Amino acid sequence: MATELFGVANLLDELDKRVICTLRDGITFVGVLRTVDEFGNIVLHNAVERITIDRQYGEQDRGIVLVRGDNISMLGELGDETQMRATLQEVDFPDMVLLRDVEREKQRAKQPRIQRHRHDDAYVV
């Protein structure tokens, strides 16, 4: 009878594999998953921060990265990257940071502004 693992225990199968990890704020790391604890905190080895926008990407070496589990929005095994590198244009990382900031400002401008008014001890939206 096979034992099924639940929660972060499922990540034990991914140890020593190359993974991609996206955080809640949109930052993406790619690296080798070295350890995971009961809270979902992970350590990535030989990690790079990757920014991908449209058909361009940029990477910056980050070395060993400790990621707190409650900041992870997506984590998965990364397959062969040769096709990705063949179809996307590599751009210097600082240029990609500027491009990411411009994209984030465009997204913020599209979002409706909610004005909050203080009403006694509660906020009225």
Side-chain angles (χ1 to χ4, degrees):
M1 179 193 234
T3 304
E4 189 172 339
L5 300 175
F6 296 99
V8 294
N10 284 325
L11 293 177
L12 297 177
D13 292 337
E14 304 302 319
L15 289 178
D16 297 326
K17 293 181 182 174
R18 193 157 171 81
V19 296
I20 184 166
C21 175
T22 302
L23 307 183
R24 291 183 350 187
D25 63 356
I27 294 175
T28 301
F29 291 107
V30 175
V32 178
L33 181 63
R34 290 297 183 201
T35 189
V36 60
D37 68 7
E38 67 270 21
F39 303 107
N41 302 323
I42 64 170
V43 173
L44 299 176
H45 183 249
N46 291 335
V48 295
E49 181 180 348
R50 179 180 291 169
I51 300 173
T52 306
I53 300 173
D54 296 328
R55 307 302 294 165
Q56 300 176 328
Y57 77 99
E59 294 181 337
Q60 177 72 41
D61 289 334
R62 296 296 183 204
I64 296 175
V65 176
L66 171 66
V67 181
R68 189 172 163 152
D70 60 356
N71 286 328
I72 298 172
S73 66
M74 190 270 308
L75 179 73
E77 185 177 354
L78 194 61
D80 187 18
E81 297 183 69
T82 54
Q83 183 179 4
M84 185 252 344
R85 294 185 189 280
T87 58
L88 298 180
Q89 175 189 4
E90 186 169 8
V91 178
D92 289 336
F93 189 77
D95 294 337
M96 288 304 294
V97 171
L98 293 174
L99 189 56
R100 177 185 64 193
D101 293 343
V102 168
E103 290 293 319
R104 284 183 177 173
E105 284 302 317
K106 286 181 186 177
Q107 291 297 324
R108 283 190 193 117
K110 289 180 183 178
Q111 294 175 351
R113 303 241 183 241
I114 298 175
Q115 295 184 0
R116 298 186 174 173
H117 304 285
R118 184 151 171 84
H119 180 63
D120 296 331
D121 290 336
Y123 285 98
V124 178
V125 179

